[in-house]
Amino acid sequence: QVTAKTAFLFILPQYNVSVPTADGELLQYHYGLKDLVTILFYIFIAIILHAVVQEYALDKINRRLHLSKVKHSKFNESGQLVAFHLTSVIWCLYVVVTEGYISNPRSLWENYPHVYLPYQVKFFYLCQLAYWLHALPELYFQKVRKEEIPRQLRCIALYLLHIAGAYLLNLTRLGLILLLLQYLAEFFFHMARLVYFTDENNEKLFNVWAVVFVVTRLFTLTLYILVIGFGLPRVESQALDPERGNFFSFLFNNILFRMSVLLLVCLFQASMMWRFIHFQLRRWREYWNEQSSRKRAAAAAGTKQQTKLLKRDSGYHENGVVKAENGTSPRTKKLKSP
């Protein structure tokens, strides 16, 4: 029994509470320090799954493609993230649909703070935190190049900040929708990179990703303004209540805090759009440079061919006989008898 209790501490979410409802009691969860133990266990699970995907899928594809070291590193990164984002999109979509967050958008802020979570919501957040924390030691295991480490550290830190912030501020419902939108755009981007590495002339998925990225950015900004700017101020005032697990919700009573959050969100989305526009302009510039170089090469080849033809026909006529450049008449070749 002692061993079973210890195993449950690592495997299953903790802090379950029976919440009375109209249909009876409902088992729900809130967060606490024991969540760190569960997250630690799933960090090791994520490392194992990472190694399985690398060994049995990505390495086999890399051997066939014969990529350079730079492309090899980027291919591995995108391959791992495609598997993760696809799994997360399907899982997250299932959670938000079954919990009714899409069919009833008002549930994103009604009855806030959402201290008590359904089992699947809490388990999803714990697994997400475990995955992005496991990405830190993977930087060493995968022998990531030094110049790539700062970019990947920023990406990991932003995901951890967003997921942990939504989890601790009891904004899990809004966080689920935002993660779904973000993971959807990231899936198309990394999928487009994988296709590009296998066939550099195929960039159609980048165009699909561009459309999805712009749409998801608009939805993200709209949701932030709707929930934080208009939804949460209408909720009854929240107070600091550690016994209920309500530690940070009272901050949203302050209009300065809400406006600061919205300002940070707008600046972050603007920076993402700026990087997106810069990336697209660079792609188009490279495309047009490649097209112009191909045209110049084709024109140079045509000029060279025309010069050869002119040299071949550079003889002159004298008394109706074609003379070569040295003035001698060309001799006709005698056919050998069979």
Side-chain angles (χ1 to χ4, degrees), residues 270-290:
S271 67
M272 292 185 69
M273 285 299 300
W274 169 253
R275 289 197 297 270
F276 169 77
I277 293 172
H278 180 72
F279 174 78
Q280 292 296 326
L281 290 176
R282 186 180 63 188
R283 275 188 62 225
W284 290 337
R285 186 164 55 248
E286 291 175 354
Y287 173 78
W288 288 115
N289 288 338
E290 183 180 357

PDB file of all heavy atoms in Angstrom, residues 270-290:
ATOM      1  N   ALA A 270       2.606  42.129 -31.674  1.00  0.00           N
ATOM      2  CA  ALA A 270       3.184  43.007 -32.696  1.00  0.00           C
ATOM      3  C   ALA A 270       4.595  42.554 -33.060  1.00  0.00           C
ATOM      4  O   ALA A 270       4.979  42.577 -34.240  1.00  0.00           O
ATOM      5  CB  ALA A 270       3.203  44.447 -32.190  1.00  0.00           C
ATOM      6  N   SER A 271       5.375  42.132 -32.061  1.00  0.00           N
ATOM      7  CA  SER A 271       6.730  41.649 -32.355  1.00  0.00           C
ATOM      8  C   SER A 271       6.685  40.370 -33.187  1.00  0.00           C
ATOM      9  O   SER A 271       7.516  40.180 -34.096  1.00  0.00           O
ATOM     10  CB  SER A 271       7.490  41.407 -31.047  1.00  0.00           C
ATOM     11  OG  SER A 271       6.915  40.334 -30.325  1.00  0.00           O
ATOM     12  N   MET A 272       5.733  39.493 -32.913  1.00  0.00           N
ATOM     13  CA  MET A 272       5.594  38.265 -33.700  1.00  0.00           C
ATOM     14  C   MET A 272       5.209  38.589 -35.142  1.00  0.00           C
ATOM     15  O   MET A 272       5.726  37.979 -36.093  1.00  0.00           O
ATOM     16  CB  MET A 272       4.558  37.343 -33.063  1.00  0.00           C
ATOM     17  CG  MET A 272       4.965  36.760 -31.734  1.00  0.00           C
ATOM     18  SD  MET A 272       3.781  35.572 -31.091  1.00  0.00           S
ATOM     19  CE  MET A 272       3.987  34.212 -32.233  1.00  0.00           C
ATOM     20  N   MET A 273       4.298  39.551 -35.320  1.00  0.00           N
ATOM     21  CA  MET A 273       3.913  39.942 -36.671  1.00  0.00           C
ATOM     22  C   MET A 273       5.076  40.583 -37.412  1.00  0.00           C
ATOM     23  O   MET A 273       5.242  40.383 -38.620  1.00  0.00           O
ATOM     24  CB  MET A 273       2.726  40.907 -36.628  1.00  0.00           C
ATOM     25  CG  MET A 273       1.397  40.255 -36.320  1.00  0.00           C
ATOM     26  SD  MET A 273       0.927  39.010 -37.557  1.00  0.00           S
ATOM     27  CE  MET A 273       0.859  39.988 -39.045  1.00  0.00           C
ATOM     28  N   TRP A 274       5.902  41.358 -36.705  1.00  0.00           N
ATOM     29  CA  TRP A 274       7.059  41.984 -37.345  1.00  0.00           C
ATOM     30  C   TRP A 274       8.046  40.923 -37.828  1.00  0.00           C
ATOM     31  O   TRP A 274       8.554  41.001 -38.952  1.00  0.00           O
ATOM     32  CB  TRP A 274       7.733  42.940 -36.373  1.00  0.00           C
ATOM     33  CG  TRP A 274       9.069  43.423 -36.850  1.00  0.00           C
ATOM     34  CD1 TRP A 274      10.311  43.083 -36.392  1.00  0.00           C
ATOM     35  CD2 TRP A 274       9.305  44.356 -37.932  1.00  0.00           C
ATOM     36  NE1 TRP A 274      11.292  43.723 -37.103  1.00  0.00           N
ATOM     37  CE2 TRP A 274      10.706  44.515 -38.042  1.00  0.00           C
ATOM     38  CE3 TRP A 274       8.461  45.053 -38.800  1.00  0.00           C
ATOM     39  CZ2 TRP A 274      11.276  45.342 -38.997  1.00  0.00           C
ATOM     40  CZ3 TRP A 274       9.046  45.880 -39.749  1.00  0.00           C
ATOM     41  CH2 TRP A 274      10.422  46.024 -39.830  1.00  0.00           C
ATOM     42  N   ARG A 275       8.312  39.923 -36.981  1.00  0.00           N
ATOM     43  CA  ARG A 275       9.205  38.843 -37.400  1.00  0.00           C
ATOM     44  C   ARG A 275       8.608  38.058 -38.562  1.00  0.00           C
ATOM     45  O   ARG A 275       9.330  37.624 -39.468  1.00  0.00           O
ATOM     46  CB  ARG A 275       9.494  37.910 -36.218  1.00  0.00           C
ATOM     47  CG  ARG A 275      10.389  38.511 -35.157  1.00  0.00           C
ATOM     48  CD  ARG A 275      10.969  37.434 -34.250  1.00  0.00           C
ATOM     49  NE  ARG A 275       9.922  36.736 -33.529  1.00  0.00           N
ATOM     50  CZ  ARG A 275       9.456  37.107 -32.348  1.00  0.00           C
ATOM     51  NH1 ARG A 275       9.958  38.180 -31.741  1.00  0.00           N
ATOM     52  NH2 ARG A 275       8.511  36.412 -31.744  1.00  0.00           N
ATOM     53  N   PHE A 276       7.289  37.883 -38.538  1.00  0.00           N
ATOM     54  CA  PHE A 276       6.616  37.173 -39.628  1.00  0.00           C
ATOM     55  C   PHE A 276       6.753  37.948 -40.933  1.00  0.00           C
ATOM     56  O   PHE A 276       7.089  37.371 -41.990  1.00  0.00           O
ATOM     57  CB  PHE A 276       5.148  36.980 -39.278  1.00  0.00           C
ATOM     58  CG  PHE A 276       4.291  36.506 -40.416  1.00  0.00           C
ATOM     59  CD1 PHE A 276       4.324  35.181 -40.815  1.00  0.00           C
ATOM     60  CD2 PHE A 276       3.458  37.383 -41.100  1.00  0.00           C
ATOM     61  CE1 PHE A 276       3.550  34.740 -41.880  1.00  0.00           C
ATOM     62  CE2 PHE A 276       2.671  36.957 -42.149  1.00  0.00           C
ATOM     63  CZ  PHE A 276       2.723  35.627 -42.539  1.00  0.00           C
ATOM     64  N   ILE A 277       6.521  39.253 -40.910  1.00  0.00           N
ATOM     65  CA  ILE A 277       6.631  40.074 -42.119  1.00  0.00           C
ATOM     66  C   ILE A 277       8.074  40.071 -42.626  1.00  0.00           C
ATOM     67  O   ILE A 277       8.325  39.961 -43.838  1.00  0.00           O
ATOM     68  CB  ILE A 277       6.146  41.510 -41.835  1.00  0.00           C
ATOM     69  CG1 ILE A 277       4.632  41.505 -41.547  1.00  0.00           C
ATOM     70  CG2 ILE A 277       6.456  42.433 -43.000  1.00  0.00           C
ATOM     71  CD1 ILE A 277       4.099  42.838 -41.063  1.00  0.00           C
ATOM     72  N   HIS A 278       9.029  40.175 -41.702  1.00  0.00           N
ATOM     73  CA  HIS A 278      10.442  40.146 -42.102  1.00  0.00           C
ATOM     74  C   HIS A 278      10.787  38.810 -42.752  1.00  0.00           C
ATOM     75  O   HIS A 278      11.507  38.768 -43.766  1.00  0.00           O
ATOM     76  CB  HIS A 278      11.318  40.383 -40.867  1.00  0.00           C
ATOM     77  CG  HIS A 278      12.783  40.385 -41.162  1.00  0.00           C
ATOM     78  ND1 HIS A 278      13.413  41.403 -41.840  1.00  0.00           N
ATOM     79  CD2 HIS A 278      13.756  39.470 -40.880  1.00  0.00           C
ATOM     80  CE1 HIS A 278      14.701  41.133 -41.964  1.00  0.00           C
ATOM     81  NE2 HIS A 278      14.933  39.963 -41.392  1.00  0.00           N
ATOM     82  N   PHE A 279      10.281  37.717 -42.204  1.00  0.00           N
ATOM     83  CA  PHE A 279      10.530  36.390 -42.768  1.00  0.00           C
ATOM     84  C   PHE A 279       9.941  36.267 -44.166  1.00  0.00           C
ATOM     85  O   PHE A 279      10.583  35.741 -45.084  1.00  0.00           O
ATOM     86  CB  PHE A 279       9.936  35.325 -41.834  1.00  0.00           C
ATOM     87  CG  PHE A 279      10.013  33.927 -42.371  1.00  0.00           C
ATOM     88  CD1 PHE A 279      11.198  33.215 -42.324  1.00  0.00           C
ATOM     89  CD2 PHE A 279       8.898  33.307 -42.935  1.00  0.00           C
ATOM     90  CE1 PHE A 279      11.275  31.920 -42.818  1.00  0.00           C
ATOM     91  CE2 PHE A 279       8.965  32.020 -43.427  1.00  0.00           C
ATOM     92  CZ  PHE A 279      10.161  31.325 -43.380  1.00  0.00           C
ATOM     93  N   GLN A 280       8.704  36.759 -44.352  1.00  0.00           N
ATOM     94  CA  GLN A 280       8.062  36.682 -45.663  1.00  0.00           C
ATOM     95  C   GLN A 280       8.791  37.539 -46.697  1.00  0.00           C
ATOM     96  O   GLN A 280       8.969  37.119 -47.849  1.00  0.00           O
ATOM     97  CB  GLN A 280       6.598  37.124 -45.559  1.00  0.00           C
ATOM     98  CG  GLN A 280       5.717  36.184 -44.759  1.00  0.00           C
ATOM     99  CD  GLN A 280       5.608  34.818 -45.401  1.00  0.00           C
ATOM    100  OE1 GLN A 280       5.620  34.678 -46.609  1.00  0.00           O
ATOM    101  NE2 GLN A 280       5.512  33.789 -44.572  1.00  0.00           N
ATOM    102  N   LEU A 281       9.215  38.736 -46.302  1.00  0.00           N
ATOM    103  CA  LEU A 281       9.950  39.587 -47.232  1.00  0.00           C
ATOM    104  C   LEU A 281      11.266  38.941 -47.646  1.00  0.00           C
ATOM    105  O   LEU A 281      11.668  39.022 -48.817  1.00  0.00           O
ATOM    106  CB  LEU A 281      10.211  40.959 -46.588  1.00  0.00           C
ATOM    107  CG  LEU A 281       8.982  41.858 -46.392  1.00  0.00           C
ATOM    108  CD1 LEU A 281       9.373  43.127 -45.649  1.00  0.00           C
ATOM    109  CD2 LEU A 281       8.356  42.216 -47.735  1.00  0.00           C
ATOM    110  N   ARG A 282      11.937  38.291 -46.696  1.00  0.00           N
ATOM    111  CA  ARG A 282      13.185  37.609 -47.029  1.00  0.00           C
ATOM    112  C   ARG A 282      12.936  36.450 -47.983  1.00  0.00           C
ATOM    113  O   ARG A 282      13.702  36.237 -48.932  1.00  0.00           O
ATOM    114  CB  ARG A 282      13.842  37.101 -45.747  1.00  0.00           C
ATOM    115  CG  ARG A 282      15.235  36.492 -45.971  1.00  0.00           C
ATOM    116  CD  ARG A 282      15.809  36.017 -44.664  1.00  0.00           C
ATOM    117  NE  ARG A 282      14.989  34.944 -44.102  1.00  0.00           N
ATOM    118  CZ  ARG A 282      15.170  34.446 -42.886  1.00  0.00           C
ATOM    119  NH1 ARG A 282      16.115  34.931 -42.107  1.00  0.00           N
ATOM    120  NH2 ARG A 282      14.393  33.464 -42.460  1.00  0.00           N
ATOM    121  N   ARG A 283      11.852  35.685 -47.771  1.00  0.00           N
ATOM    122  CA  ARG A 283      11.501  34.587 -48.676  1.00  0.00           C
ATOM    123  C   ARG A 283      11.228  35.094 -50.083  1.00  0.00           C
ATOM    124  O   ARG A 283      11.723  34.529 -51.073  1.00  0.00           O
ATOM    125  CB  ARG A 283      10.261  33.849 -48.153  1.00  0.00           C
ATOM    126  CG  ARG A 283      10.530  32.783 -47.126  1.00  0.00           C
ATOM    127  CD  ARG A 283       9.276  32.000 -46.843  1.00  0.00           C
ATOM    128  NE  ARG A 283       8.812  31.312 -48.034  1.00  0.00           N
ATOM    129  CZ  ARG A 283       7.552  31.274 -48.446  1.00  0.00           C
ATOM    130  NH1 ARG A 283       6.615  31.911 -47.770  1.00  0.00           N
ATOM    131  NH2 ARG A 283       7.210  30.602 -49.526  1.00  0.00           N
ATOM    132  N   TRP A 284      10.438  36.172 -50.175  1.00  0.00           N
ATOM    133  CA  TRP A 284      10.112  36.708 -51.500  1.00  0.00           C
ATOM    134  C   TRP A 284      11.368  37.257 -52.187  1.00  0.00           C
ATOM    135  O   TRP A 284      11.527  37.102 -53.397  1.00  0.00           O
ATOM    136  CB  TRP A 284       9.058  37.799 -51.382  1.00  0.00           C
ATOM    137  CG  TRP A 284       7.713  37.278 -50.992  1.00  0.00           C
ATOM    138  CD1 TRP A 284       7.239  36.006 -51.155  1.00  0.00           C
ATOM    139  CD2 TRP A 284       6.660  38.004 -50.344  1.00  0.00           C
ATOM    140  NE1 TRP A 284       5.966  35.900 -50.666  1.00  0.00           N
ATOM    141  CE2 TRP A 284       5.576  37.104 -50.162  1.00  0.00           C
ATOM    142  CE3 TRP A 284       6.515  39.319 -49.902  1.00  0.00           C
ATOM    143  CZ2 TRP A 284       4.384  37.482 -49.562  1.00  0.00           C
ATOM    144  CZ3 TRP A 284       5.324  39.703 -49.305  1.00  0.00           C
ATOM    145  CH2 TRP A 284       4.269  38.795 -49.144  1.00  0.00           C
ATOM    146  N   ARG A 285      12.238  37.911 -51.419  1.00  0.00           N
ATOM    147  CA  ARG A 285      13.473  38.441 -52.017  1.00  0.00           C
ATOM    148  C   ARG A 285      14.344  37.310 -52.535  1.00  0.00           C
ATOM    149  O   ARG A 285      14.893  37.409 -53.638  1.00  0.00           O
ATOM    150  CB  ARG A 285      14.217  39.265 -50.968  1.00  0.00           C
ATOM    151  CG  ARG A 285      15.431  39.982 -51.530  1.00  0.00           C
ATOM    152  CD  ARG A 285      15.916  41.077 -50.592  1.00  0.00           C
ATOM    153  NE  ARG A 285      16.170  40.560 -49.263  1.00  0.00           N
ATOM    154  CZ  ARG A 285      15.458  40.864 -48.181  1.00  0.00           C
ATOM    155  NH1 ARG A 285      14.440  41.698 -48.284  1.00  0.00           N
ATOM    156  NH2 ARG A 285      15.758  40.360 -46.997  1.00  0.00           N
ATOM    157  N   GLU A 286      14.480  36.242 -51.768  1.00  0.00           N
ATOM    158  CA  GLU A 286      15.256  35.088 -52.228  1.00  0.00           C
ATOM    159  C   GLU A 286      14.613  34.440 -53.452  1.00  0.00           C
ATOM    160  O   GLU A 286      15.319  34.010 -54.367  1.00  0.00           O
ATOM    161  CB  GLU A 286      15.376  34.060 -51.095  1.00  0.00           C
ATOM    162  CG  GLU A 286      16.242  34.528 -49.937  1.00  0.00           C
ATOM    163  CD  GLU A 286      16.237  33.535 -48.794  1.00  0.00           C
ATOM    164  OE1 GLU A 286      15.468  32.549 -48.870  1.00  0.00           O
ATOM    165  OE2 GLU A 286      16.990  33.745 -47.827  1.00  0.00           O
ATOM    166  N   TYR A 287      13.283  34.392 -53.468  1.00  0.00           N
ATOM    167  CA  TYR A 287      12.599  33.794 -54.614  1.00  0.00           C
ATOM    168  C   TYR A 287      12.853  34.599 -55.882  1.00  0.00           C
ATOM    169  O   TYR A 287      13.187  34.033 -56.939  1.00  0.00           O
ATOM    170  CB  TYR A 287      11.095  33.713 -54.317  1.00  0.00           C
ATOM    171  CG  TYR A 287      10.267  33.260 -55.498  1.00  0.00           C
ATOM    172  CD1 TYR A 287      10.210  31.918 -55.870  1.00  0.00           C
ATOM    173  CD2 TYR A 287       9.529  34.183 -56.255  1.00  0.00           C
ATOM    174  CE1 TYR A 287       9.457  31.515 -56.962  1.00  0.00           C
ATOM    175  CE2 TYR A 287       8.773  33.788 -57.337  1.00  0.00           C
ATOM    176  CZ  TYR A 287       8.743  32.454 -57.682  1.00  0.00           C
ATOM    177  OH  TYR A 287       7.987  32.048 -58.754  1.00  0.00           O
ATOM    178  N   TRP A 288      12.706  35.927 -55.792  1.00  0.00           N
ATOM    179  CA  TRP A 288      12.890  36.748 -56.987  1.00  0.00           C
ATOM    180  C   TRP A 288      14.350  36.776 -57.427  1.00  0.00           C
ATOM    181  O   TRP A 288      14.644  36.824 -58.636  1.00  0.00           O
ATOM    182  CB  TRP A 288      12.392  38.174 -56.731  1.00  0.00           C
ATOM    183  CG  TRP A 288      10.905  38.259 -56.662  1.00  0.00           C
ATOM    184  CD1 TRP A 288      10.135  38.598 -55.584  1.00  0.00           C
ATOM    185  CD2 TRP A 288       9.978  37.981 -57.729  1.00  0.00           C
ATOM    186  NE1 TRP A 288       8.798  38.531 -55.905  1.00  0.00           N
ATOM    187  CE2 TRP A 288       8.663  38.166 -57.213  1.00  0.00           C
ATOM    188  CE3 TRP A 288      10.121  37.588 -59.069  1.00  0.00           C
ATOM    189  CZ2 TRP A 288       7.527  37.972 -57.987  1.00  0.00           C
ATOM    190  CZ3 TRP A 288       8.989  37.393 -59.836  1.00  0.00           C
ATOM    191  CH2 TRP A 288       7.717  37.591 -59.300  1.00  0.00           C
ATOM    192  N   ASN A 289      15.281  36.738 -56.480  1.00  0.00           N
ATOM    193  CA  ASN A 289      16.692  36.663 -56.848  1.00  0.00           C
ATOM    194  C   ASN A 289      16.993  35.354 -57.580  1.00  0.00           C
ATOM    195  O   ASN A 289      17.752  35.336 -58.562  1.00  0.00           O
ATOM    196  CB  ASN A 289      17.564  36.770 -55.598  1.00  0.00           C
ATOM    197  CG  ASN A 289      17.569  38.171 -55.023  1.00  0.00           C
ATOM    198  OD1 ASN A 289      17.280  39.135 -55.717  1.00  0.00           O
ATOM    199  ND2 ASN A 289      17.906  38.286 -53.746  1.00  0.00           N
ATOM    200  N   GLU A 290      16.389  34.274 -57.114  1.00  0.00           N
ATOM    201  CA  GLU A 290      16.584  32.984 -57.772  1.00  0.00           C
ATOM    202  C   GLU A 290      15.988  32.986 -59.171  1.00  0.00           C
ATOM    203  O   GLU A 290      16.597  32.480 -60.119  1.00  0.00           O
ATOM    204  CB  GLU A 290      15.952  31.878 -56.931  1.00  0.00           C
ATOM    205  CG  GLU A 290      16.166  30.483 -57.492  1.00  0.00           C
ATOM    206  CD  GLU A 290      15.525  29.411 -56.632  1.00  0.00           C
ATOM    207  OE1 GLU A 290      14.968  29.761 -55.562  1.00  0.00           O
ATOM    208  OE2 GLU A 290      15.574  28.234 -57.030  1.00  0.00           O
TER     209      GLU A 290
END
